[in-house]
Amino acid sequence: MIKIQNLHKSYGEAKILKGIDIEINDGEVLAIIGPSGSGKSTLLRCLNFLEKAEQGTIEIDGETINLNNYKKSQVTKLRGKTGMVFQNYNLFKNKTALHNVSEPLRLTKKVSKLQAEKAANQLLKEVGLEGREHHYPIALSGGQQQRVGIARALALDPYVILFDEPTSSLDPELVEEVLNVMKSVIKQGRTMIVVTHEMEFAKEVADRVIFMADGYIIEEGTPQEIFGNPQNERTKRFLKNYLTLHNINGDGI
């Protein structure tokens, strides 16, 4: 289980997260939607301490941190429960796809080079990159680089995988290949938190959807509730603008 209570994060005078409360069950897929600047990506980065929130508690699979009083060892344990797929891939440019996946496994799990590369080869095969193992990122498309990023996150077998707008840097024709890999990961029953602008994808795969704006959770519910019958006027306006922008007709997504 993941439990986030009263999470606050600021950058100087700018308050980004203003008391976030979320509970996520084992194996649940949570989609987070909302306008740019609403705090969605900051929330993910606070969960694995890429950013440090100032207040609140974070619990992931039995590891709990109170932001007012914690030890470095607790942060290490909490990070070990998470895998992150970044918006801009964050691959090592001087390492092959194989080594981008295998080396974090060697460093974190302390397995042998042979074992790590065997696992990495299998994962790259699972994300459709068989034959690309020895390519460097520069020789891979954006979609292929993002699939390497997904394989890297899976390699450490985390409790939860955090997806930070994983398709936003991709050309439109490459989006579908990444979403299909994510769907295959979902079928494994993994716990996932997905920040996304892909509304149709969120509607299809999420167990629950959260709409964020201005650092608050404005509304949450099932995909049918959020996309089919939103209750908050801010949610309604956001979805209406999305429909207009993408020339989608009809009620809901």
Side-chain angles (χ1 to χ4, degrees):
M1 174 180 240
I2 299 171
K3 194 170 185 179
I4 304 158
Q5 293 181 296
N6 196 32
L7 199 67
H8 289 258
K9 170 64 181 175
S10 300
Y11 295 113
E13 296 298 316
K15 295 181 179 180
I16 308 301
L17 301 177
K18 305 170 184 177
I20 299 297
D21 295 297
I22 302 173
E23 288 192 16
I24 305 166
N25 295 319
D26 293 350
E28 188 173 16
V29 178
L30 177 72
I32 304 178
I33 64 172
S36 297
S38 59
K40 307 183 301 297
S41 294
T42 299
L43 172 59
L44 286 196
R45 295 175 69 85
C46 286
L47 294 187
N48 65 1
F49 277 74
L50 289 175
E51 301 281 357
K52 180 187 173 297
E54 294 90 28
Q55 181 181 339
T57 59
I58 301 171
E59 177 185 345
I60 301 178
D61 190 32
E63 296 293 339
T64 303
I65 287 182
N66 184 322
L67 273 302
N68 294 320
N69 183 21
Y70 63 90
K71 299 177 181 178
K72 185 177 179 180
S73 60
Q74 291 177 283
V75 174
T76 300
K77 289 179 180 179
L78 194 79
R79 282 178 171 162
K81 300 285 186 179
T82 70
M84 186 88 166
V85 178
F86 296 89
Q87 181 176 338
N88 294 312
Y89 326 134
N90 279 29
L91 301 181
F92 295 109
K93 303 298 183 184
N94 63 336
K95 298 184 185 299
T96 63
L98 179 68
H99 289 150
N100 264 283
V101 178
S102 66
E103 290 203 7
L105 185 58
R106 288 179 62 196
L107 292 171
T108 304
K109 300 292 187 180
K110 307 301 182 185
V111 301
S112 69
K113 180 180 179 181
L114 183 64
Q115 287 177 301
E117 292 189 355
K118 182 179 179 181
N121 272 312
Q122 179 59 36
L123 286 165
L124 289 169
K125 182 179 179 180
E126 289 177 11
V127 299
L129 290 176
E130 188 174 16
R132 299 277 181 170
E133 299 92 340
H134 301 293
H135 286 59
Y136 288 88
I138 196 172
L140 300 172
S141 70
Q144 290 170 334
Q145 290 185 62
Q146 193 58 290
R147 284 187 276 158
V148 174
I150 294 172
R152 178 180 58 188
L154 289 169
L156 300 177
D157 194 26
Y159 173 78
V160 60
I161 302 180
L162 311 173
F163 290 86
D164 184 13
E165 299 189 15
T167 61
S168 64
S169 295
L170 300 177
D171 293 332
E173 65 270 19
L174 301 177
V175 169
E176 196 65 28
E177 67 183 60
V178 172
L179 294 182
N180 286 336
V181 170
M182 291 174 65
K183 289 176 185 177
S184 70
V185 174
I186 289 168
K187 290 178 181 177
Q188 299 175 11
R190 290 181 177 271
T191 307
M192 292 168 50
I193 305 176
V194 184
V195 169
T196 183
H197 289 294
E198 302 289 339
M199 300 298 127
E200 293 90 347
F201 177 73
K203 182 180 180 182
E204 178 184 352
V205 305
D207 297 298
R208 269 190 307 136
V209 178
I210 282 176
F211 173 69
M212 284 185 66
D214 300 324
Y216 295 102
I217 293 176
I218 303 298
E219 188 169 357
E220 66 177 291
T222 66
Q224 293 74 24
E225 290 167 341
I226 296 297
F227 295 117
N229 188 30
Q231 300 300 302
N232 187 278
E233 288 301 320
R234 187 71 187 273
T235 314
K236 292 178 183 178
R237 188 164 66 249
F238 173 82
L239 293 173
K240 182 180 179 181
N241 290 340
Y242 178 87
L243 293 171
T244 301
L245 181 65
H246 292 81
N247 295 314
I248 301 173
N249 296 317
D251 297 325
I253 302 289

